[in-house]
Amino acid sequence: MMQFSESFPPLPPPLPHQIIPNKAARRWPGLPSPKLQGSSFGDANCMEQLLVHCANAIETNDATLAQQILWVLNNIAPPDGDSGQRLTCGFLRALISRAARSGSCKLLSDVAVSIPNHKFSIIELAGFVDLTPWHRFGFTAANAAVMEAVEGRSVVHIVDLSLTHCMQIPTLIDSFSTRPEGPPFLKLTVAGATEDFPPMLDLSYEDLGAKLINFARSRNVAMEFRVVPSSSSDGFSSLIDHLKITGAGDNNGEALIVNCQMLLHYIPDSETLGASCVANHVNSHHSPRSMFLKAVRGLNPCTVLLVDEDADFTSENLVTRLRSAYNYLWIPYDTVETFLPRESRQRQWYEADMCWKIENVVAQEGPLRVERLEPKGKWVQRMRGAGFRGVGFSEEAVAEVKSMLDEHAAGWGMKREEQDLVLTWKGHNVVFATAWLPA
């Protein structure tokens, strides 16, 4: 049970669901009335308003109001409730964590506010990825584009910048093994990230590489695996240097593919640099993200695949950022509500992943705040500014994505936005997939 310092009484336990409306309707000075906002206690609009008012109270050091709102949130958003309540509970934990770090409300807790993230085995991670199309969408679109880009090439070098530890590579190996002209020699280089971002793996990259090589051998695909310790915090500079030194790409007669799957938004953006960025007149074209893309362009890759979540978590304003996160991260909670029991272990792992994101977006600042998603339009600008031109996905690639989506719930869909593909849930943008060639 979360508790406060002596200046605040402890939060009471969550009330039984059937009596929440009467108890939660109690008013305190400064606490907004949900009826005036066109909401009722417990619905999404009300919970979002309460979170926003709580964030404002914490930022202005209004400890009394913050405590009042947290009391209400604790009673209407139990951690084992429906998807909206579980989502709100994640934000509640994050706000308490932020207040505890800043000292604004002198919040303490007897137990850790954060939910520990599970370290997955290979089998568990494969099952985790297969739960929804969240990752599979990008894998399927990218793999189809890779097969088309390297048709007829005898050596294929894939630089894999992936959040899910090469989980898409076995499917790609399978595709190579049945290529009409025979499989290529496959070189795989991965960034052995020095940071731990969920989902986390309980296996070293060296052991992972050995398993991938053995799998490729079983499919009669010759494969070389190399891991380069590198960090997103410096724009994967060690990886870029390694690729330059080894002459990756056409200089070695190989088709170089750079596959970026939900990892580039961990590279610092312009805002991360703070005052120094402004003082040195650094604009978006010279941010670490744009500099990384220009370095990739210098490698003259055959194709670059860029897949990421279509949301904006970059605002320096806490309330703006909280609203953006709340109105995006309801989607993963809603999706698993459709097919996983509330007590499911897989659901707990999935939601722990989301809670990590929420806490990072809400409770952290500066370099520690690494969940800095940018929408598709911003990445399109960055790619064009770095010297790339977009290419569309073929009808075969689109058909493969649609076939994959048929394996999942009816709420998932796909739409085309110019040359790009966008995964949707109940009509809302979730993940985008783009493909690029050097201009």
Side-chain angles (χ1 to χ4, degrees), residues 47-336:
M47 290 192 283
E48 181 183 0
Q49 290 169 22
L50 288 170
L51 289 168
V52 165
H53 283 289
C54 187
N56 277 321
I58 290 172
E59 292 301 277
T60 57
N61 295 320
D62 190 340
T64 301
L65 180 58
Q67 167 69 8
Q68 292 168 350
I69 301 175
L70 288 171
W71 189 92
V72 174
L73 286 168
N74 186 63
N75 282 281
I76 65 174
D80 57 352
D82 62 28
S83 60
Q85 292 170 324
R86 294 157 87 109
L87 169 69
T88 301
C89 183
F91 279 88
L92 167 64
R93 288 190 177 102
L95 286 171
I96 291 175
S97 181
R98 182 180 182 90
R101 286 188 174 96
S102 66
S104 59
C105 292
K106 298 180 181 178
L107 301 179
L108 301 174
S109 62
D110 290 336
V111 297
V113 174
S114 302
I115 300 174
N117 283 97
H118 178 69
K119 283 202 170 187
F120 292 87
S121 68
I122 288 287
I123 300 300
E124 288 172 343
L125 184 57
F128 176 87
V129 167
D130 285 344
L131 280 177
T132 74
W134 204 279
H135 294 286
R136 293 188 71 199
F137 168 78
F139 293 174
T140 305
N143 282 353
V146 168
M147 293 302 296
E148 293 167 13
V150 303
E151 186 175 351
R153 301 296 293 267
S154 60
V155 180
V156 176
H157 185 175
I158 296 175
V159 177
D160 192 53
L161 291 167
S162 170
L163 188 64
T164 55
H165 315 288
C166 302
M167 283 295 104
Q168 82 181 83
I169 300 301
T171 303
L172 188 60
I173 291 172
D174 269 334
S175 297
F176 280 139
S177 70
T178 58
R179 201 172 67 159
E181 67 268 39
F185 175 65
L186 178 60
K187 298 170 69 175
L188 180 63
T189 300
V190 302
T194 56
E195 310 95 338
D196 276 333
F197 304 135
M200 293 179 284
L201 190 64
D202 70 349
L203 195 68
S204 71
Y205 267 99
E206 288 73 16
D207 290 339
L208 175 64
K211 290 181 179 297
L212 285 171
I213 289 173
N214 286 335
F215 177 78
R217 186 180 296 118
S218 74
R219 299 297 191 271
N220 295 316
V221 176
M223 179 178 169
E224 174 186 290
F225 180 91
R226 182 167 293 168
V227 56
V228 180
S230 199
S231 170
S232 59
S233 62
D234 63 2
F236 298 107
S237 59
S238 298
L239 175 66
I240 294 293
D241 289 343
H242 167 81
L243 295 170
K244 287 179 179 178
I245 292 170
T246 56
D250 280 338
N251 291 336
N252 281 345
E254 58 189 31
L256 178 64
I257 305 291
V258 181
N259 181 49
C260 307
Q261 296 275 340
M262 299 193 185
L263 200 60
L264 295 198
H265 71 263
Y266 291 109
I267 297 175
D269 61 359
S270 302
E271 299 298 334
T272 317
L273 304 180
S276 63
C277 176
V278 177
N280 292 313
H281 307 288
V282 176
N283 58 35
S284 61
H285 294 296
H286 294 88
S287 74
R289 295 182 182 186
S290 294
M291 296 301 288
F292 168 79
L293 295 176
K294 289 178 180 178
V296 170
R297 174 62 183 85
L299 299 172
N300 197 31
C302 177
T303 302
V304 175
L305 288 311
L306 174 55
V307 177
D308 216 321
E309 296 163 318
D310 198 6
D312 189 348
F313 293 174
T314 59
S315 176
E316 291 300 290
N317 180 272
L318 173 63
V319 168
T320 301
R321 205 164 66 237
L322 184 149
R323 283 188 182 278
S324 181
Y326 190 85
N327 286 284
Y328 177 72
L329 292 175
W330 69 271
I331 296 172
Y333 282 85
D334 193 51
T335 60
V336 295

Side-chain angles (χ1 to χ4, degrees), residues 9-26:
L11 288 175
L15 299 170
H17 180 73
Q18 63 270 22
I19 64 172
I20 285 176
N22 293 333
K23 292 294 290 182
R26 178 184 173 188

